[in-house]
């Protein structure tokens, strides 16, 4: 079921297969320098195994940076299942993935991500202890999406203060790409704060629901980044900030919940050159893993611990913004440098 693949960038990478259930996927452990690797399990349709492998490698590396930036004693890992969650997901397939995770003996902890739910995590937990994001149990953390959205919202306010001189989002026009769990919760927070919303999603029903719930304007998914807005919030798949999209972005601030928003590291400099403030995704969207970490670490007073970590993450973002402005550099470059310096100080 587990086949170890050669890798020069990660500690371990595995192909996961189970003929009986049709399971096909990958588990990538980028680093366990700070602790066991932790990161969500996503299920989505990929353009072949090569695309799925590339995604899990990028996502797991991002988790190492995200966990380090959040000050968590966790390394970075990720898992993906190739398939349509609406059609291909079965209890048997999830349990097979649970057995694969269990075979790693705690080197990787999983949780929910795109295409997954707390109920799916419960199914996986029938086969392994190394799963978080559960709805039930002494330290259960449940759906991390609201906490992720809260962290992104806090980061957005910090970015608005720098770009527009105030962290008050009342009247600000925010273009939100992606109305999944996190995107929807973010829209809720923005609506409550008095922001005006333009929204896009591949699912037209979600867009219609957002128009009704938030008084939002629905826009096409392939042009939402070019909306004449104050803030662009990518909350869907990665790679949205690239050579094609960056020249078309009208917003002066980009901050969202999606992972790996930059198609290449150089795209951070391209945004900087256009005078667009980009807040590094793995700092802005770290609330979810903080919520999950409370479960993994068996924190007793979870709500207080999570709130303190969110405040610390906000302070880290402020520090990044201050340094970036002082050095006339992209916050993404500064964030990477800070994380890499901290990792170098950890004994192997």
């Amino acid at each position: 079921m587990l086949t170890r693949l050669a890798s020069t960038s990660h500690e371990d990478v595995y192909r996961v297969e189970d003929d009986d259930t049709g399971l096909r996927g990958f588990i990538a452990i980028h680093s366990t320098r700070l602790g066991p690797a932790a990161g969500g399990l996503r299920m989505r349709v990929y353009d072949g195994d090569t695309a799925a492998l590339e995604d899990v490698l990028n996502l797991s590396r991002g988790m190492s940076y995200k966990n380090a930036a959040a000050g968590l004693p966790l390394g970075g890992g990720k898992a993906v299942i190739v398939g349509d969650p609406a059609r291909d997901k079965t209890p048997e397939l999830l349990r097979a993935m649970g057995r694969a995770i269990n075979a790693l003996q705690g080197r990787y902890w999983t949780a929910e991500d795109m295409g997954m739910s707390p109920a799916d995590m419960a199914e996986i937990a029938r086969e392994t202890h190394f799963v978080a994001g559960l709805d039930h149990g002494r330290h259960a953390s449940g759906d991390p999406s609201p906490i992720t959205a809260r962290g992104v919202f806090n980061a957005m306010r910090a970015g608005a203060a720098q770009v527009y001189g105030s962290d008050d989002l009342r009247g600000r026009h925010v273009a939100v790409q992606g109305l999944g769990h996190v995107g929807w919760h973010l829209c809720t927070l923005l609506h409550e704060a008095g922001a005006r919303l333009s929204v896009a999603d591949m699912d037209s029903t979600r867009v219609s629901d957002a128009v009704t719930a938030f008084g939002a304007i629905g826009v096409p998914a392939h042009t939402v980044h070019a909306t004449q807005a104050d803030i662009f919030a990518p909350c869907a798949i990665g790679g949205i900030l690239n050579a094609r999209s960056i020249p078309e972005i009208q917003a002066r601030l980009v901050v969202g919940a999606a992972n790996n928003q930059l198609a290449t590291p150089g795209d951070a400099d391209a945004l900087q050159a256009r005078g667009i403030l980009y807040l590094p995704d793995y700092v802005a969207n770290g609330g979810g893993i903080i919520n999950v970490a409370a479960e993994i670490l068996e924190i007793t007073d979870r709500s207080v611990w999570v709130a303190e970590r969110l405040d610390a993450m906000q302070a880290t973002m402020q520090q990044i913004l201050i340094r970036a402005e002082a050095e006339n550099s992209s916050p993404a470059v500064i964030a990477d440098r800070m994380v890499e310096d901290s990792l170098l100080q950890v004994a192997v």
Side-chain angles (χ1 to χ4, degrees), residues 150 153 156-157 167-172 174 186-197:
R150 173 61 65 180
F153 178 78
M156 195 175 288
R157 291 182 59 195
D167 68 357
D168 188 352
L169 298 177
R170 187 181 299 109
R172 290 290 169 204
V174 184
L186 178 61
C187 285
T188 300
L189 293 171
L190 290 168
H191 180 64
E192 291 171 350
R196 295 185 294 117
L197 297 174

Side-chain angles (χ1 to χ4, degrees), residues 46-56:
Y46 288 96
D47 293 330
D49 284 0
T50 299
L53 179 58
E54 181 180 2
D55 198 30
V56 80

Side-chain angles (χ1 to χ4, degrees), residues 18 42 70 74 84 135 143 161-162 167 183 203 278 284 289 343:
D18 184 74
R42 66 171 46 179
L74 298 171
D84 183 345
D135 268 341
D143 182 2
Q162 179 154 326
D167 68 357
D203 185 338
Y278 165 69
I289 191 61
L343 288 174

